[in-house]
Amino acid sequence: MKTIYNWILTAVIALITTTAFSQGTISGTVVDGGFGGPLPGANVMVKGSTSGTSTDFDGNFTLNVSENSGTVTVSYIGFVAKQVPFTLSNGSANIGTITLQPDAEELEGVVVTGVVDVAKDRETPVAVSTIKASEIQEKLGSQEFPEILRSTPSVYVTKQGGGYGDSRINIRGFDQTNTAVMVNGIPINDMENGAVYWSNWAGLSDVTSAMQVQRGLGSSKLAISSVGGTINVLTKSSEKSEGGSVLTGVGNDNYLKTLVSYNTGVLDNGMSVSALFSRTAGDGYVDGTSFEGYNYFLAFGYKAGDKHDFQFTLTGAPQQHNQRSNAPTLNDYIKYGQNGDPDRRYNADWGYRNGKEFTFGGNFYHKPIASINWDWNVSDSSTLSSVFYASFGRGGSIGSIGRINNGRSYYGQFKDANGQIRVDDIIAWNGGANVPDFGAPRQGYTGGGDPQYQGQFVNGGDYNNSVILAPNDDSAHIYGPQNGISQRSSVNSHNWFGTVINFNNKINDNWAWDVGVDLRTYKGIHYRRLVDLLGADIYVDNDNLNNPYNFTTKTYSPSVGNVWNVFKDVDKEEKIDYYNDGKVNWAGAFGQIEYKDDKVSAFLQGSISSQGYQRIDYFNYLDSDPEQESDWENFIGGNIKGGLNYNINEHHNVFANAGYYAKQPKFDGVFISYTSNEVNPDAANEKIVGLELGYGFRSSFFNANVNLYRTSWKDRYETVGAFFDVNNTPNNPDDDARGTANVQGIEQIHSGIEVDFLARPLPNLKINGMMSIGNWEYGSNVTARAFDDGNNYIGDIDLYLDGVKVGDAGQFTSNLGVDYEFVENLSVDASWNHVDKLYAQIDATSFTSPDNDGSLQLPSYDLFDAGLSYRMYVGKEKQKSIFLRLNVNNVFDETYISESWDNNHAQPGDETWNGISTSNRVFFGWGRAWNFSLRYNF
């Protein structure tokens, strides 16, 4: 009885105590201010006490409080904490909807329209990572724009040759020709070959509000090339709040960046304007890679009442940069290094001309894109979203053309003791001076054409002695000591127009559907032109059947100043070597149905597209020849995909998606010759099947994701050339016939697991990490039939690919990052990135023997980056700020190979570096680099 009495007494005392201290309750709802929707698991605490709770699945909370008034602190990992005052009335208070903004200001002004498919956390069933503007502004520094994604699962980024904008990215083992890149919902992959050249988009780092990577098939409704994934870049809009910024940044190798921007905010008349301009220049980390680039962004907005919203955006990044366009051999890196250590900065494509940097490897381009977005609220349940866009690209690459005594500019006899091109000696030899180690002295021209050029020093194309048909026949080209080396540019310009229109209808609170069209038309303009005769008298081109023996001295400077005007008439330019157009038309239609309730969200998408190709060759066909312009070759493709997400509770969710793509061949897979309009009779769609499972955990201090995926890419196309013993005389190679096989049926299977997390154990400490383990390999051996030039069957080609590892990206990557604010507004961060199971770039068509050694595995490597940030608030109301940032990349100056162009396995007796044969052509990653910037926000 006494025990029961004591228990009752204790309960009564507890009840009295609770009544005394629990004066009432407060309630509210916490929502995501970035992409909308509730924030389940947000932490709600009474300031100055230990009383707290978490929001439920719908973002709602109820909290007992012991005071009539006070302040609650609402926090969620990845978002800025918010303090909200409360005052009880009759024992309760509803403090309404509390909107948390993502860390700092990164999503302010994000363009999110009906044509942008942004994945939402715990709703869209795809594997996704989102990088915000503040992280880009802080941590990118002087790195390439895609390098900010290095901490993302299954992403491999390399600078390639190290020139400005020359980086590339792989997602889940697929290169960027098979990764869709979108800017505000507009596809920007080249329509002929799917390529993305980041030098054309280097300025995106200045104007990006958020960059979202959807790995796998993604959530885009368009039939785009998302075999590996989709990179969706969202830029600042004209509706950004009033203010601006001024920035200056400096770094290693004379890096200098300046930037100014301003936004009016939405004015009383509904208009708004946003503008940005920047310039970046430097010498480049790699020798001979100086650069100069600009970036501009201009946006106008107008809201016509509640029904219509118009946004006009124009952005471009004109630039010129010298390159390391060819990978040197490991042997050359070591040869021109010191004490047996490779010179990572070595570049074989440049030299000095009169003491100034001169290159045979470079790029100059300007590719502005202009778009008009129109969002029309047709009714309370229906919206029509449209974007109309145009892009005019002008520019190309820089290189050499011609030979000196059958030698190209990169041959050893033209290099000095430092491995640099002897430009001054080439100029002297071209002009008739004696350079003994160049071989025979320069001779005057004795070929055909206008007799006035006989005896002059005439440069020509790349043809060597092997094209001579008779001892005294130059085959209409010059060769040997009559030829010389010139500097040329290969122009790859284009005109591109398109529109994406999407109609959305909400049937009720749960169901919605979309339907729309994706229309594009593209014209690629390809030719070469002279840049510099390098001391010769004139150049002769005999590749144009319509203008044989064309002698010209017309040259064009490949400078950034000459690409600003993208409306120049290219028809009047003097062209050499080749001239052809590639036309591509695209017409697509898509639809989606979507379901969403408190627990489940699901979608089913389908699209169909017609892609047509046409080739026009102005050099290899007479103007009178009807075959100069090919017929249109059309291919029907499309996809179907769907996914489902299930939120188990406010902490756990699972999802799954699957899809099938029929992907049209690229332009080069249809027109397989560079010199004719010959159509590949075996051209067919590639087939992609993707499967994915995912799990997510969310809480106020820890988020984690786990993804499993498998992607099968079938019917890849390759062309193989080989000699065949058609007469069954193995000991007599003289009667062998050369044939070409169009290989189809190549399959790649990419599977793996991805884990990433974000933790905030303390308010001033953030820890993030990821690990991805991939198994990317070829699926089976392939046999193809080969035909000679007369289309006669001459034999089979076998490719032994079963189990061969896919190269060019690390199949094991991990990252660990820490961000710690040790005093208010002063923080330090560091990250460690590990890469393993990195294989050399391989040519699938080279595996013609069953005894092949497979893919060459390169050494693993570790990179450490660190940064220091300080923000100081200034002004009368402390609304302005000065932000200082220091970045150091590759802190420990690790020497590592980032990619290999060759697949040469070391044999007994071979010279090696870290176990790799020095015969391989490779690119080294950068050594230690630094960048410091100062930004004033007003």
Side-chain angles (χ1 to χ4, degrees):
M1 180 66 70
K2 186 177 180 180
T3 301
I4 296 176
Y5 171 80
N6 290 337
W7 183 87
I8 294 173
L9 179 61
T10 302
V12 170
I13 293 173
L15 179 61
I16 294 172
T17 304
T18 302
T19 303
F21 287 95
S22 297
Q23 299 295 328
T25 60
I26 59 174
S27 59
T29 303
V30 182
V31 299
D32 178 351
F35 293 125
L39 277 177
N43 195 19
V44 183
M45 296 286 294
V46 177
K47 189 176 181 180
S49 76
T50 58
S51 299
T53 188
S54 297
T55 57
D56 63 16
F57 180 80
D58 297 315
N60 299 320
F61 69 89
T62 300
L63 176 63
N64 293 326
V65 295
S66 59
E67 302 291 339
N68 286 322
S69 63
T71 301
V72 294
T73 300
V74 184
S75 61
Y76 194 93
I77 191 169
F79 290 77
V80 177
K82 196 168 188 177
Q83 295 186 349
V84 182
F86 68 87
T87 301
L88 298 182
S89 175
N90 297 323
S92 65
N94 187 321
I95 56 179
T97 299
I98 303 164
T99 303
L100 297 187
Q101 294 295 334
D103 240 345
E105 313 162 323
E106 46 280 291
L107 285 182
E108 183 183 357
V110 168
V111 173
V112 179
T113 71
V115 300
V116 181
D117 294 300
V118 175
K120 297 181 180 180
D121 190 40
R122 291 172 54 89
E123 182 176 324
T124 310
V126 298
V128 63
S129 300
T130 303
I131 311 296
K132 312 296 175 53
S134 63
E135 184 174 353
I136 295 172
Q137 291 176 3
E138 286 186 11
K139 298 181 180 180
L140 185 63
S142 56
Q143 296 181 98
E144 300 290 315
F145 185 51
E147 290 186 270
I148 197 67
L149 300 176
R150 185 177 281 124
S151 60
T152 303
S154 295
V155 169
Y156 184 71
V157 185
T158 168
K159 294 177 182 290
Q160 287 198 102
Y164 176 74
D166 286 344
S167 59
R168 65 170 178 84
I169 187 170
N170 287 57
I171 299 180
R172 290 184 174 175
F174 297 100
D175 66 21
Q176 53 198 30
T177 65
N178 293 289
T179 297
V181 181
M182 319 273 284
V183 175
N184 296 332
I186 299 171
I188 65 170
N189 295 73
D190 187 281
M191 288 191 65
E192 289 182 277
N193 57 31
V196 177
Y197 301 99
W198 291 105
S199 57
N200 302 334
W201 304 100
L204 283 178
S205 61
D206 297 329
V207 300
T208 295
S209 293
M211 177 163 54
Q212 189 174 85
V213 180
Q214 299 174 12
R215 300 185 296 279
L217 300 183
S219 65
S220 175
K221 295 184 285 291
L222 307 185
I224 51 179
S225 302
S226 55
V227 182
T230 302
I231 300 174
N232 214 333
V233 179
L234 309 176
T235 67
K236 295 178 173 68
S237 77
S238 59
E239 296 180 1
K240 191 171 166 67
S241 59
E242 183 181 4
S245 63
V246 178
L247 174 142
T248 184
V250 295
N252 56 279
D253 300 291
N254 293 319
Y255 176 89
L256 176 63
K257 179 172 183 173
T258 53
L259 176 149
V260 59
S261 68
Y262 182 73
N263 316 285
T264 65
V266 180
L267 305 176
D268 293 339
N269 60 4
M271 297 288 291
S272 55
V273 180
S274 180
L276 178 146
F277 185 81
S278 71
R279 177 185 181 272
T280 309
D283 295 338
Y285 177 85
V286 174
D287 292 339
T289 58
S290 61
F291 63 92
E292 181 181 17
Y294 297 84
N295 178 37
Y296 58 87
F297 176 85
L298 185 63
F300 295 95
Y302 176 63
K303 284 190 173 182
D306 297 330
K307 290 286 187 181
H308 302 279
D309 187 350
F310 298 92
Q311 298 282 335
F312 169 78
T313 303
L314 172 66
T315 186
Q319 56 78 32
Q320 186 276 321
H321 69 280
N322 293 346
Q323 295 177 303
R324 179 168 59 184
S325 54
N326 294 293
T329 64
L330 264 169
N331 182 66
D332 280 349
Y333 283 109
I334 296 170
K335 177 181 178 180
Y336 299 114
Q338 294 182 348
N339 302 319
D341 294 326
D343 180 4
R344 292 170 291 182
R345 298 175 182 254
Y346 175 66
N347 179 8
D349 295 333
W350 76 293
Y352 287 105
R353 180 178 185 177
N354 292 327
K356 295 183 179 180
E357 182 178 315
F358 180 90
T359 189
F360 282 126
N363 179 274
F364 60 103
Y365 217 85
H366 183 201
K367 185 179 181 176
I369 185 168
S371 64
I372 298 176
N373 290 74
W374 171 32
D375 291 331
W376 175 20
N377 294 323
V378 180
S379 67
D380 291 340
S381 60
S382 300
T383 58
L384 181 67
S385 300
S386 308
V387 59
F388 306 90
Y389 61 92
S391 175
F392 298 89
R394 295 293 183 268
S397 64
I398 306 167
S400 67
I401 190 170
R403 295 173 181 262
I404 291 178
N405 289 315
N406 205 34
R408 301 295 305 277
S409 63
Y410 47 82
Y411 283 20
Q413 64 265 38
F414 305 122
K415 301 291 179 63
D416 62 17
N418 296 316
Q420 296 164 358
I421 298 175
R422 298 161 56 184
V423 182
D424 290 337
D425 286 341
I426 290 175
I427 293 173
W429 191 93
N430 279 346
N434 183 27
V435 184
D437 54 348
F438 280 11
R442 184 73 193 261
Q443 294 181 7
Y445 181 69
T446 60
D450 195 325
Q452 68 171 313
Y453 300 112
Q454 297 292 307
Q456 293 192 23
F457 298 132
V458 181
N459 286 356
D462 292 334
Y463 299 92
N464 61 22
N465 293 356
S466 63
V467 302
I468 302 173
L469 300 181
N472 299 316
D473 181 5
D474 64 4
S475 297
H477 299 286
I478 55 176
Y479 60 92
Q482 289 192 19
N483 201 356
I485 293 175
S486 307
Q487 189 187 37
R488 54 79 183 161
S489 59
S490 297
V491 176
N492 186 22
S493 299
H494 72 249
N495 302 327
W496 186 351
F497 303 92
T499 183
V500 179
I501 301 173
N502 183 84
F503 179 79
N504 172 266
N505 177 260
K506 289 181 169 52
I507 302 172
N508 52 40
D509 291 340
N510 302 118
W511 290 93
W513 57 272
D514 293 80
V515 66
V517 295
D518 170 21
L519 307 174
R520 306 174 228 166
T521 182
Y522 175 100
K523 177 183 178 181
I525 308 162
H526 318 292
Y527 58 92
R528 278 183 173 167
R529 63 189 187 188
L530 277 177
V531 173
D532 200 310
L533 285 164
L534 299 181
D537 295 324
I538 200 166
Y539 185 94
V540 62
D541 178 75
N542 204 51
D543 292 292
N544 184 358
L545 294 181
N546 297 288
N547 186 20
Y549 292 105
N550 176 33
F551 292 86
T552 180
T553 58
K554 182 64 176 177
T555 59
Y556 302 86
S557 173
S559 66
V560 66
N562 286 335
V563 295
W564 278 91
N565 182 6
V566 296
F567 301 107
K568 283 184 179 179
D569 184 3
V570 301
D571 291 339
K572 297 180 180 179
E573 290 187 359
E574 286 275 2
K575 302 171 180 65
I576 62 170
D577 209 21
Y578 62 82
Y579 177 27
N580 58 77
D581 291 344
K583 293 185 176 181
V584 185
N585 285 337
W586 175 283
F590 56 83
Q592 172 179 284
I593 186 166
E594 186 176 10
Y595 175 83
K596 181 172 60 175
D597 63 22
D598 292 342
K599 290 282 188 180
V600 176
S601 56
F603 74 90
L604 180 65
Q605 297 176 359
S607 70
I608 187 170
S609 59
S610 173
Q611 188 166 18
Y613 300 104
Q614 184 185 46
R615 187 178 188 274
I616 305 173
D617 195 320
Y618 302 102
F619 268 30
N620 292 300
Y621 296 87
L622 294 172
D623 292 338
S624 58
D625 189 342
E627 294 188 3
Q628 183 185 73
E629 186 172 310
S630 77
D631 294 331
W632 281 93
E633 302 294 328
N634 296 291
F635 298 85
I636 302 296
N639 66 56
I640 183 169
K641 58 184 176 179
L644 182 146
N645 178 80
Y646 177 66
N647 293 323
I648 301 170
N649 55 34
E650 63 267 27
H651 296 298
H652 306 275
N653 74 289
V654 292
F655 73 82
N657 67 59
Y660 171 80
Y661 269 74
K663 181 175 177 285
Q664 294 98 326
K666 298 173 185 176
F667 193 93
D668 291 344
V670 177
F671 297 101
I672 56 179
S673 171
Y674 292 106
T675 59
S676 77
N677 293 336
E678 178 187 357
V679 176
N680 175 14
D682 299 322
N685 288 346
E686 299 170 349
K687 287 85 174 177
I688 298 101
V689 176
L691 303 170
E692 189 171 59
L693 299 173
Y695 162 78
F697 175 81
R698 300 292 181 270
S699 74
S700 58
F701 63 91
F702 184 79
N703 291 354
N705 302 287
V706 180
N707 303 300
L708 300 172
Y709 67 89
R710 184 185 189 275
T711 303
S712 169
W713 181 20
K714 293 184 177 181
D715 288 343
R716 276 197 49 207
Y717 167 80
E718 295 281 358
T719 299
V720 184
F723 286 92
F724 292 85
D725 182 19
V726 295
N727 295 322
N728 195 26
T729 54
N731 297 321
N732 182 20
D734 293 337
D735 63 352
D736 289 355
R738 181 171 179 81
T740 301
N742 298 326
V743 181
Q744 289 181 295
I746 296 177
E747 179 182 12
Q748 290 180 209
I749 300 174
H750 296 226
S751 59
I753 181 172
E754 304 163 338
V755 180
D756 65 274
F757 71 89
L758 177 64
R760 180 162 275 166
L762 300 172
N764 58 343
L765 175 63
K766 183 171 65 174
I767 303 171
N768 64 276
M770 73 84 181
M771 181 177 67
S772 57
I773 304 171
N775 182 32
W776 311 329
E777 58 186 26
Y778 289 88
S780 61
N781 299 329
V782 179
T783 299
R785 289 163 58 84
F787 299 84
D788 62 16
D789 292 338
N791 204 32
N792 301 303
Y793 170 74
I794 56 176
D796 290 339
I797 291 180
D798 294 314
L799 299 182
Y800 297 90
L801 292 169
D802 190 17
V804 172
K805 296 293 185 181
V806 174
D808 233 14
Q811 300 197 21
F812 179 91
T813 58
S814 62
N815 181 274
L816 181 65
V818 178
D819 194 323
Y820 181 66
E821 186 178 24
F822 49 91
V823 297
E824 187 175 5
N825 298 324
L826 180 63
S827 63
V828 63
D829 57 83
S831 69
W832 162 55
N833 192 70
H834 175 72
V835 175
D836 199 357
K837 294 187 177 179
L838 170 63
Y839 296 93
Q841 182 183 122
I842 66 170
D843 178 5
T845 65
S846 66
F847 288 80
T848 55
S849 169
D851 299 325
N852 67 76
D853 293 322
S855 301
L856 173 67
Q857 184 170 344
L858 304 175
S860 62
Y861 62 87
D862 298 272
L863 297 179
F864 290 84
D865 298 333
L868 183 69
S869 299
Y870 178 68
R871 187 183 301 272
M872 178 173 60
Y873 292 94
V874 297
K876 189 174 182 180
E877 299 180 358
K878 303 294 184 181
Q879 292 182 336
K880 303 172 184 178
S881 65
I882 297 174
F883 182 74
L884 294 88
R885 175 69 183 182
L886 172 66
N887 288 293
V888 181
N889 303 113
N890 194 0
V891 173
F892 298 111
D893 200 25
E894 173 148 346
T895 300
Y896 66 99
I897 296 174
S898 61
E899 60 182 286
S900 174
W901 280 14
D902 294 322
N903 191 55
N904 301 329
H905 292 257
Q907 304 300 322
D910 286 354
E911 293 186 8
T912 63
W913 182 86
N914 280 8
I916 304 300
S917 169
T918 58
S919 65
N920 286 287
R921 295 170 298 163
V922 305
F923 283 134
F924 280 96
W926 281 20
R928 185 185 298 113
W930 64 272
N931 168 265
F932 176 78
S933 63
L934 185 152
R935 180 188 293 266
Y936 174 57
N937 299 310
F938 59 90

